[in-house]
Amino acid sequence: RTDDITMILAFIDGVADTADEQSGEAIDRMQGRRKSSRRESRRGSADSIFLGLDVVRAGGENRPVRRGLSKEKRQAMTVAETVTNEEDEVEYTPVVVPKSQNERDRIRSAVKANFLFQHLNDQQQQLVFDVMKRVLVKAGEVVIKQGDAGDLFYVVESGEYSVLIAQGGKGEVEVMQYSTAGGTNPCFGELALMYSKPRAATVKALSDGQLWAMDRSAFRHILMKSSSTSLVKTLRSVEILKTLSVGQLQRLSDVLTEVTYKSGDYVIQQGEFTETFYIIMEGKATVTKRDDPDSAAEPEAQVMQLSAGQYFGERALIEQAPRAANVKADGRLKCLHISKDAFEEVLGPLQAIIDEDRKWREKVAKTKQLVQEAEGLANVTTTDFEPQAVPVATDYGRLVIAQNKNSQSVYTLKGASKSKVVQLGQQSRLMSEKALFASLVNHHAYVPLALGNFVDEACLYTVFKVRIVMELSALLEALSSIDESTANFYAANVLLAVQHLHNEGICYRNLAPDNLFVDRDGFVQLMDFRFAVKLDGAQARDYCGLATYLAPEQVAGTGHSLPVDYWALGILIYEMLTGTAPWLTGDPIRDSELNIYSRITAFKGELDFPKEFSADLQELLLELLAPNPTRRIGTRGAGAEEVQRHQWFSTLNMEDMHAGGNAMRAPYHALRKVEEVAKTLNTSEAAAAAAEAFSEPPYSGDSSWFDGFVSFTSKTS
């Protein structure tokens, strides 16, 4: 550590050297009544090592040595990786790099303790070892450079390597070296297998050597790719199946039947009436046709050739019509097929599904339109609003309190800068957020409805009928410390909001305090849906969210779903009461993303809690932070209601909580802070500052990515 540490010693006259038992009990009782400080706790790390906060108390003031992450650090540790469509669509074919048994053993030994490899099964491990590439390096060669985006993980086979970190204008400083001198094979670059972030250091070869390299794309394919997922992607590419959810496509893939044809066999013949849809799994097929299907003398003209992953005969699932062409096996051909009758037995008539989907989307659009017209928001632009204040600035834009000049109603406008969205690479996430907002039509006390969207030359705006005052993180900071009853109230806000979204099939994945907003009544509002995903029965596999909030299954990268929100709720409750996450030590070096992920994956479900935590709270946190998602409260057998019925929430009337501000008030001290901040937003100074909200420089880049942003449809363009 290079920072200065000041120690304050308080000498108190008249206190005996050894406290008697009675006074010790009195101190314990006094401390037991004291509120849990957000900046003061004693608790264990993921491996149950008792870390604790060393606090010097002088004049009754708590002065902690360790603090939680700063807002800047939390933003830096927020992952927003998107699995690209191109990566999804490319069929992965592993390329085996020959290795001796000794080389394979050294690689296995090097990665066996690494959290990213511990959950791999034997087959996956073998495939990972197979595809790792041999990289020969020369002395002086830079392997990775600080600041560059990385997608390779390395195991040192031989040679010596220097790890350098740039120190501003002082040049590079060596912080450590990698070598095999100690009989081990070190590795580096693990985060590159999870997501793309700038490299934290430069690694330069000090001698000639050899590395084994694993790229992120191959690692992800080995983790996630299977014949099932590839088949679902093929089904999704079929035009008439695009209205099916992922869950429906998975059920469809389960009932497809395998059939094999010899070379020259006809799969379907022109003019015949059959009702079967086919997907080619192996081999090739030739498509031919005659101008006159009834003329046997006319030669068949070749139209096209089909290969593995392609399909034919899809119209038979909707209509009865003669086949328009022949499909003939060109060599041995293996297909999966399903008849119209079998399809309808599993999912019902396809045309009915298509019609129902269209009707649902039209209903959502009509409902949104009626609400928008009732609010006087049809076809609004920035000129229709008078900005009053900017309560929250985000990494990609701002929340603006604005009054509609015609109706005089006040709204919160969620503005996203087009330039910043592109700079952050969040175009697809923003459009996904818009689609999710559009799909929600039922009001909820803690999930405000998006009433509409509009754009100007610089920004994309979403309109909400709610007045946001601050972030939850700002409220917690202003309160300095909160008791369990206050944490209980805000945890219930979030719990009910998350369960509302889960009922809509939406996994939120964004429960960090910086991304939860507080309205003027002191209630939490969930309005940042950039990381949310509609699951439709399938698991998500992208990395997103604040590192300290990721559940073990998210870190492992093998797929996750609704249970991750209950895990994040547990972390949120812990952080509200202690000001930090269970995985943080307070040492910036030890609290790297890599170390945090290692502690999360090593967590076995045991924590040493601050002594101020009630027994009910400790029990709930252990239930929420169950490492196995199938055993996590909220998603196991008893379902979501089990969380609401937990003893820790017994002091709350959940019916009143569901009603929100119409039936109850926020905790007194929290509401006072919110009202104080709200007053600062209702001043001429705030209005003057807000006047700049609509004056951002115009965006001049590609505009195709936000096509359809102002429409009512719930499907992204």
Side-chain angles (χ1 to χ4, degrees):
R1 296 289 293 274
T2 58
D3 53 333
D4 295 330
I5 296 177
T6 300
M7 177 178 288
I8 301 174
L9 302 180
F11 295 92
I12 304 174
D13 292 334
V15 178
D17 291 339
T18 304
D20 60 29
E21 183 176 344
Q22 182 177 1
S23 63
E25 291 174 351
I27 292 172
D28 288 342
R29 288 195 300 273
M30 177 185 70
Q31 291 179 338
R33 289 194 301 270
R34 183 168 46 82
K35 292 189 295 184
S36 299
S37 170
R38 295 190 67 247
R39 297 302 184 196
E40 176 185 357
S41 70
R42 296 185 62 83
R43 54 102 177 107
S45 68
D47 53 6
S48 294
I49 297 175
F50 197 70
L51 298 171
L53 272 175
D54 296 323
V55 179
V56 178
R57 297 187 180 89
E61 182 180 0
N62 295 337
R63 299 184 180 274
V65 174
R66 179 161 64 83
R67 294 180 179 272
L69 298 174
S70 66
K71 185 172 183 178
E72 293 74 17
K73 183 70 170 176
R74 291 196 299 270
Q75 286 182 344
M77 281 195 176
T78 297
V79 185
E81 183 80 343
T82 301
V83 180
T84 64
N85 291 333
E86 291 80 5
E87 183 180 280
D88 273 347
E89 296 302 328
V90 173
E91 191 65 32
Y92 174 65
T93 303
V95 178
V96 177
V97 177
K99 301 174 182 69
S100 69
Q101 187 58 48
N102 286 339
E103 288 173 329
R104 297 175 70 87
D105 289 343
R106 285 193 291 272
I107 295 173
R108 180 181 289 103
S109 177
V111 303
K112 68 179 180 181
N114 190 292
F115 68 91
L116 283 173
F117 294 84
Q118 288 176 336
H119 62 277
L120 299 182
N121 59 40
D122 290 341
Q123 182 180 3
Q124 289 172 323
Q125 281 193 14
Q126 290 302 322
L127 191 51
V128 166
F129 300 156
D130 283 343
V131 302
M132 292 188 85
K133 302 173 184 176
R134 182 179 282 103
V135 179
L136 301 177
V137 294
K138 296 291 185 182
E141 183 178 341
V142 174
V143 180
I144 61 175
K145 185 173 179 59
Q146 184 176 349
D148 287 353
D151 63 354
L152 290 172
F153 162 73
Y154 296 95
V155 174
V156 177
E157 172 69 16
S158 63
E160 296 184 353
Y161 305 84
S162 176
V163 181
L164 307 165
I165 295 180
Q167 299 281 351
K170 300 179 182 178
E172 293 181 327
V173 176
E174 183 180 89
V175 294
M176 64 182 299
Q177 289 187 3
Y178 293 124
S179 76
T180 58
T184 60
N185 296 79
C187 48
F188 56 91
E190 291 94 329
L191 289 181
L193 294 182
M194 298 176 66
Y195 44 76
S196 177
K197 267 197 172 182
R199 296 286 196 181
T202 295
V203 176
K204 182 184 293 186
L206 297 175
S207 66
D208 292 354
Q210 178 184 312
L211 301 167
W212 295 109
M214 180 80 201
D215 71 90
R216 180 171 62 252
S217 177
F219 188 73
R220 277 184 170 173
H221 277 93
I222 291 170
L223 278 181
M224 299 302 302
K225 290 293 180 181
S226 67
S227 58
S228 173
T229 54
S230 297
L231 184 55
V232 168
K233 291 189 183 304
T234 299
L235 292 171
R236 292 190 78 173
S237 69
V238 181
E239 184 64 32
I240 64 171
L241 301 181
K242 287 187 181 296
T243 58
L244 299 186
S245 69
V246 175
Q248 289 173 315
L249 292 174
Q250 286 180 325
R251 291 199 297 276
L252 180 58
S253 69
D254 290 339
V255 297
L256 290 170
T257 304
E258 184 177 303
V259 61
T260 302
Y261 299 91
K262 300 189 300 294
S263 182
D265 285 352
Y266 281 92
V267 182
I268 60 176
Q269 289 186 288
Q270 186 178 2
E272 68 179 356
F273 284 84
T274 57
E275 299 179 336
T276 308
F277 164 60
Y278 297 87
I279 298 175
I280 298 176
M281 299 304 293
E282 295 178 10
K284 295 181 179 180
T286 301
V287 180
T288 65
K289 66 182 302 183
R290 296 187 178 98
D291 291 334
D292 181 3
D294 297 325
S295 174
E298 182 184 342
E300 296 178 4
Q302 182 171 324
V303 178
M304 62 187 299
Q305 209 173 43
L306 302 172
S307 57
Q310 294 182 294
Y311 56 87
F312 55 92
E314 66 275 14
R315 298 299 303 179
L317 298 178
I318 292 182
E319 60 187 9
Q320 282 190 326
R323 297 291 193 177
N326 305 298
V327 178
K328 186 165 55 176
D330 185 4
R332 185 178 182 275
L333 179 69
K334 182 191 292 186
C335 296
L336 293 175
H337 71 94
I338 188 170
S339 67
K340 182 181 179 183
D341 288 343
F343 182 99
E344 293 181 354
E345 185 177 339
V346 176
L347 296 176
L350 178 57
Q351 188 61 56
I353 295 173
I354 295 172
D355 292 343
E356 187 65 28
D357 179 75
R358 186 190 71 253
K359 290 177 183 177
W360 177 79
R361 284 187 283 122
E362 289 173 351
K363 179 182 177 181
V364 169
K366 186 64 175 177
T367 302
K368 291 281 187 179
Q369 185 176 359
L370 291 174
V371 172
Q372 195 177 63
E373 290 174 353
E375 292 284 339
L377 296 174
N379 303 314
V380 293
T381 66
T382 50
T383 59
D384 295 305
F385 291 95
E386 186 69 39
Q388 295 182 342
V390 179
V392 174
T394 66
D395 56 346
Y396 59 93
R398 61 184 70 86
L399 300 186
V400 182
I401 305 299
Q403 185 176 47
N404 186 299
K405 296 176 182 178
N406 297 320
S407 67
Q408 303 303 304
S409 296
V410 178
Y411 303 91
T412 294
L413 308 182
K414 188 168 186 274
S417 163
K418 298 174 186 175
S419 298
K420 290 179 181 176
V421 169
V422 171
Q423 182 181 351
L424 294 169
Q426 295 299 294
Q427 299 96 311
S428 63
R429 287 201 182 276
L430 192 79
M431 291 304 292
S432 173
E433 176 184 62
K434 177 263 170 187
L436 291 174
F437 282 146
S439 71
L440 296 175
V441 295
N442 296 317
H443 170 75
H444 192 273
Y446 312 113
V447 185
L449 280 180
L451 300 178
N453 308 295
F454 64 92
V455 302
D456 64 15
E457 292 182 333
C459 296
L460 309 172
Y461 296 94
T462 305
V463 185
F464 297 91
K465 194 171 185 180
V466 65
R467 292 197 200 187
I468 296 302
V469 173
M470 62 203 308
E471 300 150 307
L472 179 61
S473 58
L475 175 59
L476 296 174
E477 196 69 34
L479 290 171
S480 180
S481 65
I482 65 172
D483 54 21
E484 277 194 29
S485 64
T486 303
N488 183 269
F489 173 83
Y490 283 114
N493 283 196
V494 173
L495 170 65
L496 296 177
V498 163
Q499 290 180 345
H500 168 66
L501 295 177
H502 286 188
N503 290 337
E504 299 287 341
I506 296 172
C507 184
Y508 192 64
R509 307 192 299 178
N510 199 15
L511 292 182
D514 289 337
N515 303 317
L516 301 174
F517 305 119
V518 180
D519 66 19
R520 63 176 179 173
D521 295 320
F523 292 90
V524 166
Q525 301 291 331
L526 272 60
M527 296 169 56
D528 189 343
F529 278 48
R530 285 177 300 158
F531 300 155
V533 60
K534 189 139 189 172
L535 296 173
D536 287 329
Q539 289 201 324
R541 65 185 183 94
D542 54 324
Y543 289 100
C544 62
L546 180 59
T548 53
Y549 277 69
L550 298 190
E553 61 268 30
Q554 288 176 286
V555 176
T558 52
H560 59 271
S561 59
L562 303 180
V564 301
D565 282 339
Y566 289 105
W567 172 280
L569 176 62
I571 301 297
L572 176 64
I573 295 171
Y574 192 100
E575 182 170 343
M576 283 195 291
L577 288 165
T578 67
T580 188
W583 331 116
L584 297 177
T585 68
D587 183 336
I589 303 299
R590 295 175 63 196
D591 288 343
S592 67
E593 285 176 74
L594 188 61
N595 287 338
I596 289 171
Y597 294 145
S598 295
R599 293 173 196 140
I600 291 173
T601 55
F603 179 60
K604 303 302 181 186
E606 296 180 0
L607 283 174
D608 290 325
F609 293 104
K611 61 184 177 183
E612 296 90 352
F613 278 21
S614 68
D616 289 335
L617 173 58
Q618 293 183 35
E619 180 186 74
L620 175 63
L621 289 178
L622 291 178
E623 299 272 19
L624 290 169
L625 299 178
N628 185 340
T630 63
R631 298 180 180 178
R632 205 168 292 157
I633 190 172
T635 53
R636 59 195 184 192
E641 293 297 320
E642 185 181 5
V643 190
Q644 294 185 34
R645 294 196 304 266
H646 192 277
Q647 187 63 28
W648 192 63
F649 287 114
S650 63
T651 57
L652 295 175
N653 184 319
M654 280 297 176
E655 289 187 8
D656 288 347
M657 289 298 300
H658 273 287
N662 296 325
M664 64 186 312
R665 289 170 60 85
Y668 175 74
H669 294 291
L671 185 56
R672 277 189 58 190
K673 288 293 182 183
V674 171
E675 290 172 343
E676 288 174 8
V677 175
K679 287 180 181 178
T680 68
L681 300 177
N682 191 27
T683 62
S684 57
E685 291 82 1
E692 301 295 320
F694 297 150
S695 60
E696 185 169 323
Y699 169 73
S700 58
D702 173 45
S703 62
S704 62
W705 63 267
F706 58 86
D707 284 347
F709 183 81
V710 297
S711 71
F712 291 102
T713 178
S714 62
K715 290 187 179 288
T716 55
S717 300

